[in-house]
Amino acid sequence: MKTAIVRYHEIALKGHNRSWFINTLVENINRKLYGLKAKVSRDDSGIRIKYSDTVPNTEIIEKLSTIFGIAKFKLVETSEIEIDSLIKTVKKVLEENTLPFNTFKLNSNRSNKSYPLTSMELNERIGAYVEKLTGGKVDLSSPDLTITVDIREKTAYVSLKDYKGPGGLPVGVSAHVATLLSGGIDSPVAAFNMFKRGCSNSFIHFHSFPMVDASSREKAIKLAKSLSVNQKKSLLYLVPFVDIQMEIIAKVQASYRVIAYRRFMVRVAEAIAKIDGASALVTGESVGQVASQTIENIATIGSVTNMPIFRPLIATNKSEIIDQAKLIGTYDVSIQPDEDCCSLFVPANPATKSTPRKAELYETGIDSKDLVNKTIDNLEILEF
Ligand code: ATP
Ligand code: MG
């Protein structure tokens, strides 16, 4: 069996919730490593994962690097704690990982305080051995290689490298939210950022099929599937939007149509969130990115609900969002061409300085409660 040791930082700060946070992280790691026959357990200073020698380290590294709540992790070789065993293990680790280095340092820690050697003595004894074995020179300030030796009660761990986790909080420790997922670049990134803060997500997509082709719907399905790796169960609510749009086109002045579309999206999303158990809505809006996203319009759109709407991308630039979308693997799907529902029957120059009062005035002829209820009756729900 091989071993990985996982560290978290933020979750260590959460007082009496600490245990629950760590258990959630253990559960999430178990789910991600499902099928690899790994054994995940808590130990005194982190989480320990035992996995079969047949599992490639690259697979473990790839999986652990994407689990929220993990600050860093290392792949370790287990050793007995006596100095002779430690030296043998260090030799084995150096031989197995043929890393080129000229300089190195030893970094020993003892959580077992009754151990007969101090950390300093351990560093000196093992360091002298490594110098003789490899010809490398000790450099304490900027070594090419750091060899970490961790002495616990009954075993010791030897490792060469820390890998970075994504940080954040384990998914499931914050409240559940519902993300309005278009087929575009921004909203999947918004959902990802909520996962990072420990929120599980449901997804809501509005489509105008069959008035337009099914491309945005297909993209939303692909995006929801790809985001679903971050949580136990994902629901995608597919909302037929044509009836609402027809009503808006008939009753609302052209310059306010996009705003009215969005206000109805929020009304329907709020109703879905209530069924779904979500405590907040999430969008991919960013100030000034398009005409419908001026601060005034964002306020007019948000004013139809008392439910909190989170906009994790509100102050990010498009280029930053694109970089993040590439990193999380949603970009390639998002840039495929689609027929978006909001492009139907809207003018080239929509209002940019809307007010809730005017929006309400233009919507007077619409029975919004009835329209929302009818829409909810026709939801299609997919589960991943
Ligand atoms: P995105 O890249 O997420 O599509 P965008 O920059 O294109 O965002 P808009 O099209 O103005 O911006 O949409 C703003 C936000 O409204 C989106 O980020 C998304 O949260 C929500 N939204 C827009 N269209 C839809 C849709 N068809 N279904 C669900 N949510 C949508
Ligand atoms: Mg869009």
Side-chain angles (χ1 to χ4, degrees), residues 291-361:
S292 60
Q293 295 181 21
T294 60
I295 300 248
E296 291 87 341
N297 288 355
I298 290 173
T300 302
I301 294 162
S303 70
V304 299
T305 181
N306 287 322
M307 190 172 255
I309 303 181
F310 295 123
R311 303 172 180 91
L313 309 180
I314 196 71
T316 49
N317 302 327
K318 192 75 188 188
S319 62
E320 294 166 331
I321 301 172
I322 288 175
D323 287 349
Q324 220 185 349
K326 286 180 180 165
L327 215 60
I328 68 174
T330 53
Y331 182 75
D332 289 340
V333 175
S334 291
I335 57 167
Q336 286 164 20
D338 66 10
E339 291 190 354
D340 178 55
C341 64
C342 292
S343 51
L344 279 181
F345 308 109
V346 296
N349 299 308
T352 51
K353 293 195 185 309
S354 67
T355 65
R357 237 174 56 85
K358 271 195 186 158
E360 270 158 38
L361 209 64

Side-chain angles (χ1 to χ4, degrees), residues 125-197:
R125 294 274 295 268
I126 303 171
Y129 172 79
V130 174
E131 266 189 324
K132 221 164 80 192
L133 179 75
T134 65
K137 287 274 157 275
V138 173
D139 177 352
L140 298 181
S141 54
S142 60
D144 299 331
L145 182 75
T146 299
I147 304 168
T148 301
V149 175
D150 219 340
I151 312 276
R152 306 286 176 96
E153 285 308 315
K154 293 199 182 76
T155 49
Y157 298 124
V158 175
S159 62
L160 297 183
K161 194 174 162 184
D162 273 337
Y163 294 91
K164 248 172 89 82
L169 299 173
V171 173
V173 301
S174 302
H176 179 65
V177 298
T179 298
L180 282 78
L181 189 70
S182 70
I185 296 170
D186 306 338
S187 39
V189 176
F192 183 85
N193 281 291
M194 298 310 287
F195 280 128
K196 190 170 90 189
R197 300 311 303 166

